Amino acid sequence: MAWLRERGGRAAGLAVVAGAVLALTACGSGGSAEGDAGDRESKYKRVIEDPHPRPADVIEAAGAPTGAVRAGDGSLLLTYDAGNVEDDEGPAATAWRIVGPDGRTVAEHAEHADAEATRPAFKGVSGGFVRVPPGEGTEGAYALDVRGKRHEVVVTETPLRVRPDDVLLAELEPTLVYRPATRTVAPPAGVPDDAIGLAVDEGGTVWSLEQHLTEDPDRVVWQRDGRTLGSTTVPESYAGGALAARGGTVALALTRDEGVRGLLVTTDGGERWRTVVAGDIPWKDLKRGSELFVLEVLADGRLLVGEEGGRYWLAADRTNSAFHALKTPAAFTSLTVDGTTLYGITDATTATYDLVRGEGLWISTDGGHEWQRHDQRG
């Protein structure tokens, strides 16, 4: 599961998605905002300065969501942000909207905000959505059910032994998991002190990347129920980067000179690992650095790789031995996965009054062959 990219300090299944697709408009190339640009600017300013903005107004001003996550029943929660265009300080507005499996809006909420504040981000879980704590610690975490009702969560510093269906809520500083059954947020038990990356699969196995202060190579360690099951060494001359686990596949980005140059992959629980450093992905052409590298695993074990704001490649099957480049209807600023559904967002990279070409949320349920744009009008 992903919320739209969380790397660095960052910004989902599938039988149920068919109903939501009814709310999508036909695939197209998109376009710029209609109407007078000055009129849009004045509306935008009114929205971010309004102490009690309407969700629909914030959503219209934002133009595209900042995140899209899916609950277990197929409901989508979309988050929106309208920031101050003239400065990185000043007024702003945020909103979220929950769209049911049938494509209809069931709940929405908006707030006046400060441009410097951390924007709300959520993860989809079996019973709804849980807010990711906005900073260090667990303050600010809460749950929303699929009707939009807010629920308090139990916050504890006592480590939890990760179980199936637990969700990795925050990767590092601090590392937190969320247990939907009890609405509990806690650190996971047994994570190595020198872990610099973490992933939790649907079976409850915790995969961590260890980096030592010595010249020893990086290692991938996997644990279940707080006990170490095994480990493997990152190939010589590489360091470990992004880590992802889902659908029986675990993959680690292999970095060199601050760029990603391949993958370390297992599809059998860590019994056998292989490196992917050639083939259909032009690794040497990846120029955006490891921090902007996208690594996702579909529910069927296929890998999606690429660069934020750049190109993406999807594996043909769960062997992850052959990849094809995705054709996208617009230039995506972010791309994530939930189940086997792809969610691409086209947005401006900085706050602006005007919309970019194709702005909005695009969804594909067939591996990127066909895309449909979400109609955000409620």
Side-chain angles (χ1 to χ4, degrees):
M1 164 70 64
W3 83 84
L4 287 180
R5 301 272 342 144
E6 55 184 41
R7 71 172 87 257
R10 36 185 194 207
L14 240 312
V16 296
V17 78
V21 171
L22 296 175
L24 307 178
T25 59
C27 177
S29 61
S32 300
E34 297 181 357
D36 181 74
D39 182 61
R40 178 171 174 80
E41 177 178 339
S42 62
K43 289 181 179 179
Y44 190 103
K45 288 182 176 179
R46 284 199 300 270
V47 168
I48 66 173
E49 293 170 358
D50 190 339
H52 305 288
R54 295 174 61 248
D57 292 338
V58 177
I59 291 169
E60 180 184 2
T66 56
V69 293
R70 185 172 295 280
D73 76 333
S75 298
L76 271 179
L77 185 146
L78 309 176
T79 50
Y80 296 86
D81 173 30
N84 193 351
V85 174
E86 283 84 5
D87 199 347
D88 57 2
E89 300 177 349
T94 64
W96 55 255
R97 171 178 285 172
I98 296 176
V99 180
D102 62 357
R104 298 183 180 183
T105 297
V106 297
E108 56 188 12
H109 174 76
E111 293 182 1
H112 181 69
D114 186 280
E116 295 180 287
T118 302
R119 299 298 182 261
F122 295 83
K123 281 201 170 183
V125 296
S126 57
F129 313 92
V130 59
R131 186 189 177 186
V132 179
E136 293 187 7
T138 55
E139 184 179 354
Y142 59 84
L144 293 172
D145 62 27
V146 294
R147 306 302 301 175
K149 182 179 179 181
R150 179 167 168 165
H151 301 268
E152 297 301 317
V153 299
V154 177
V155 176
T156 176
E157 296 182 358
T158 303
L160 285 177
R161 291 188 176 184
V162 177
R163 302 191 312 211
D165 297 327
D166 287 354
V167 176
L168 181 62
L169 191 60
E171 184 176 344
L172 293 172
E173 298 180 359
T175 301
L176 298 170
V177 293
Y178 176 73
R179 181 161 296 168
T182 58
R183 294 198 180 107
T184 301
V185 175
V191 176
D193 292 337
D194 48 7
I196 61 169
L198 208 68
V200 176
D201 64 27
E202 66 271 41
T205 301
V206 179
W207 303 81
S208 58
L209 172 66
E210 291 186 1
Q211 185 179 74
H212 305 286
L213 297 178
T214 65
E215 295 184 356
D216 292 341
D218 294 352
R219 297 183 65 85
V220 177
V221 178
W222 53 102
Q223 302 166 309
R224 187 178 298 129
D225 199 28
R227 296 178 292 110
T228 298
L229 301 180
S231 66
T232 191
T233 302
V234 174
E236 186 178 356
S237 77
Y238 292 102
L243 182 65
R246 180 66 49 178
T249 296
V250 182
L252 174 75
L254 298 176
T255 67
R256 181 191 293 157
D257 299 328
E258 299 184 355
V260 177
R261 295 296 174 259
L263 301 171
L264 181 65
V265 181
T266 182
T267 57
D268 56 10
E271 290 295 324
R272 293 180 298 274
W273 295 80
R274 63 184 179 88
T275 56
V276 179
V277 294
D280 308 305
I281 302 174
W283 299 104
K284 292 183 179 180
D285 293 342
L286 302 184
K287 305 295 186 181
R288 298 173 185 263
S290 58
E291 288 300 311
L292 295 180
F293 183 70
V294 176
L295 177 61
E296 301 272 3
V297 190
L298 279 65
D300 57 15
R302 289 180 293 162
L303 289 172
L304 172 74
V305 301
E307 295 183 299
E308 290 185 358
R311 293 189 293 166
Y312 302 90
W313 292 264
L314 180 65
D317 53 49
R318 73 178 309 272
T319 65
N320 296 298
S321 57
F323 292 77
H324 67 270
L326 288 181
K327 293 182 179 180
T328 61
F332 289 162
T333 45
S334 63
L335 178 62
T336 56
V337 170
D338 191 324
T340 55
T341 302
L342 308 181
Y343 296 90
I345 288 179
T346 297
D347 198 4
T349 55
T350 58
T352 176
Y353 299 124
D354 298 323
L355 303 181
V356 300
R357 184 173 180 82
E359 185 154 355
L361 172 66
W362 296 84
I363 302 178
S364 175
T365 61
D366 62 0
H369 296 289
E370 298 289 339
W371 294 89
Q372 294 174 307
R373 186 158 59 175
H374 183 268
D375 183 0
Q376 67 181 19
R377 293 172 296 178

